Amino acid sequence: MKRKAFVPVLTIILILFGFAYARAGFHNTFINIFEKARDSVASITVKPNSSSPNAKPTDLKGSGFVWTSDGYIISAAHLFQGNIKEIEISIGQKVLRGRLVGKDNNTDIALVKVEAPMPLKTLQFGNSDDIKVGEWVAAIGDPFGLEDTMTHGIISGKKRNIGLVSDEFIQHDAAINPGNSGGPLINTRNEVIGMNTAIANGNNTGFAVPINLIKIIAPMLKVYGKVVRSW
């Protein structure tokens, strides 16, 4: 009888151990995402020229992520409007001056270049066509100027139309706020699958430009400074 009673108890212990191990693995997944990405995510400050001698221009804060090791950084086009005086890029402990290479307002993608003293650490790009609703993701950026902030959530929807040229934006519920624009959306395989760009009128509803669209637009911005579309 004692042996028979021991079997269910052992089963329960193994189940609880497996549950605890799974929770620890899940927890460590997001620690790993942050540790691998933090040195590739940029804090961006756009300082505009004043349109009036008595007016104090307001700096725009946003995020970005390293595309190439020689200093090309992906960000959101809506950060770079009007007459820009200076672009300040902070990556890790480095503060660098950037220049706008090009932007595409129709997809909200911008490309910035910095001259770094050493190669920058890049992020691996994934395939946004393969994402699934319910997949875990993490958003990293500088909401309200709070650098190196990470939140997590799931993919809530795909192929969303938010009024731009592309109707394939990724909807997710990882908390994003002003300052997250331009920051990466990363899956649990440490791959960038999108760039955070917009917040809906409601809680925990964010949108990201799919990385596959960035793969098309960024090279054109690098070469031409703009996107030339057929008509």
Side-chain angles (χ1 to χ4, degrees), residues 64-220:
F65 55 94
V66 178
W67 175 36
T68 63
S69 60
D70 60 343
Y72 284 95
I73 294 171
I74 303 292
S75 188
H78 69 261
L79 297 174
F80 307 94
Q81 303 297 330
N83 190 5
I84 297 173
K85 178 181 178 181
E86 184 181 351
I87 300 172
E88 185 178 277
I89 310 288
S90 298
I91 304 177
Q93 301 299 317
K94 299 182 288 291
V95 179
L96 307 167
R97 178 168 293 185
R99 64 176 176 85
L100 181 64
V101 175
K103 64 175 182 170
D104 179 47
N105 293 325
N106 289 321
T107 56
D108 202 27
I109 300 170
L111 188 63
V112 179
K113 181 69 167 64
V114 297
E115 299 301 330
M118 60 185 65
L120 300 179
K121 182 182 176 183
T122 61
L123 291 175
Q124 182 178 353
F125 287 6
N127 184 351
S128 51
D129 289 342
D130 291 342
I131 64 172
K132 299 183 184 301
V133 173
E135 180 179 346
W136 285 102
V137 290
I140 303 179
D142 297 353
F144 305 115
L146 300 171
E147 296 182 9
D148 295 334
T149 295
M150 185 177 83
T151 57
H152 78 276
I154 61 169
I155 299 294
S156 307
K158 302 191 298 182
K159 299 183 182 298
R160 300 303 196 199
N161 187 337
I162 62 172
L164 299 178
V165 166
S166 173
D167 60 355
E168 302 206 354
F169 282 76
I170 301 167
Q171 179 188 342
H172 64 87
D173 69 354
I176 58 174
N177 289 284
N180 274 111
S181 291
L185 187 68
I186 304 173
N187 64 18
T188 54
R189 294 181 294 279
N190 296 299
E191 299 168 335
V192 180
I193 58 169
M195 179 195 73
N196 292 309
T197 186
I199 309 166
N201 292 325
N203 294 326
N204 297 330
T205 304
F207 298 95
V209 182
I211 197 65
N212 284 6
L213 181 58
I214 294 173
K215 290 176 185 177
I216 296 171
I217 300 296
M220 286 192 279

Side-chain angles (χ1 to χ4, degrees), residues 43-80:
S43 172
I44 299 178
T45 302
V46 181
K47 300 180 179 182
N49 275 318
S50 175
S51 58
S52 170
N54 297 322
K56 185 178 180 180
T58 302
D59 294 349
L60 291 177
K61 300 280 189 177
S63 306
F65 55 94
V66 178
W67 175 36
T68 63
S69 60
D70 60 343
Y72 284 95
I73 294 171
I74 303 292
S75 188
H78 69 261
L79 297 174
F80 307 94

